């Protein structure tokens, strides 16, 4: 029950609240202010993604459980938000392909990491992958604001969609990078 793990639990606990706010606003046609609540909670959850790792390192509280749970929490947050934004219609048409690329990469990398972990091979997170996550989280924040944000600045949704495509491009590159690093071990395992 270290602070880094508590922050990760908080990120997971934020998911149903964010999803519930978007569902209530979009599907149940409730007031737009619910989107701002979703954005505020999402931002707090996204900040914990940075803080849990930071505190784990500086306080030397890194744990196997934390290393396992942190990326799962990230993927749950991103996937649930992308699915709600697609159901909401904010992500639609060609932009669905960006969301599909992001989700497929997350599944591919998770499977690869799980397989390599069984071989006791670690695949470290690259700086570019961290930037990809940052762009992805910022894009989702803009998209969660959606129509509420467009009332304040009419291009909020368009900025979110552009950032979603940028993160999808980074996602392809970093996914290939992970796959290329992992394929070496897969081939070696087959030859051995």
């Amino acid at each position: 029950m270290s602070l880094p793990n508590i922050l990760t639990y908080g990120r997971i606990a934020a998911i149903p609240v964010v999803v519930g706010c978007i569902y209530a606003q979009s599907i149940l046609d409730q007031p737009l202010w619910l989107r701002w609540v979703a954005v505020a909670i999402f931002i707090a959850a996204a900040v914990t993604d940075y803080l849990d790792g930071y505190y784990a390192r500086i306080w030397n509280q890194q744990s196997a459980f934390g290393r396992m749970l942190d990326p799962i929490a990230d993927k749950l947050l991103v996937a649930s938000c992308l699915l709600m934004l697609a159901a909401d219609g904010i992500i639609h048409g060609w932009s669905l392909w960006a969301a599909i690329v992001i989700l497929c990469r997350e599944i591919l990398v998770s499977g690869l990491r799980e397989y390599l972990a069984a071989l006791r091979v670690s695949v470290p997170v690259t700086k570019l992958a961290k930037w990809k996550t940052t762009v992805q989280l910022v894009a989702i924040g803009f998209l969660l604001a959606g129509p509420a944000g467009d009332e304040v600045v009419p291009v909020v949704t368009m900025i979110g969609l552009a950032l979603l495509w940028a993160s999808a491009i980074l996602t392809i590159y970093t996914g290939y990078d992970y796959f290329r690093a992992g394929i070496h071990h897969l081939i070696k395992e087959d030859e051995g």
Side-chain angles (χ1 to χ4, degrees):
M1 287 303 280
S2 64
L3 178 61
N5 286 347
I6 291 170
L7 291 172
T8 302
Y9 300 144
R11 189 158 64 257
I12 293 170
I15 295 167
V17 180
V18 172
V19 167
C21 286
I22 297 301
Y23 183 85
Q25 190 285 309
S26 174
I27 310 299
L28 301 178
D29 204 28
Q30 296 298 310
L32 278 179
W33 61 262
L34 284 168
R35 287 195 168 270
W36 292 118
V37 173
V39 170
I41 293 168
F42 178 81
I43 289 170
V47 168
T48 68
D49 183 30
Y50 169 77
L51 292 177
D52 61 8
Y54 174 76
Y55 288 129
R57 283 186 297 279
I58 67 166
W59 292 341
N60 198 25
Q61 291 183 339
Q62 294 170 318
S63 67
F65 185 73
R67 282 190 299 275
M68 182 264 316
L69 193 60
D70 180 60
I72 290 171
D74 298 343
K75 288 165 183 43
L76 290 173
L77 180 65
V78 167
S80 60
C81 286
L82 288 176
L83 289 171
M84 278 311 301
L85 290 165
D88 178 21
I90 296 293
I91 299 175
H92 65 280
W94 286 101
S95 295
L96 283 170
W97 287 105
I100 289 167
V101 163
I102 290 167
L103 292 173
C104 287
R105 182 263 190 200
E106 297 304 342
I107 293 166
L108 173 74
V109 169
S110 293
L112 181 62
R113 281 180 181 271
E114 184 178 329
Y115 178 77
L116 292 174
L119 299 176
R120 300 205 185 281
V121 174
S122 174
V123 182
V125 177
T126 65
K127 288 253 190 241
L128 189 59
K130 289 182 180 186
W131 276 105
K132 179 268 310 173
T133 300
T134 301
V135 173
Q136 203 169 273
L137 294 174
V138 172
I140 291 171
F142 272 89
L143 293 171
L144 288 172
D150 288 337
E151 284 189 351
V152 178
V153 179
V155 293
V156 165
T157 300
M158 292 305 296
I159 291 170
L161 291 172
L163 289 170
L164 186 70
W165 277 105
S167 71
I169 291 166
L170 289 171
T171 292
I172 291 169
Y173 184 81
T174 59
Y176 173 74
D177 220 19
Y178 279 123
F179 186 73
R180 190 183 53 174
I183 200 78
H184 167 73
H185 296 286
L186 294 170
I187 292 169
K188 202 162 100 174
E189 176 72 10
D190 281 344
E191 290 173 352

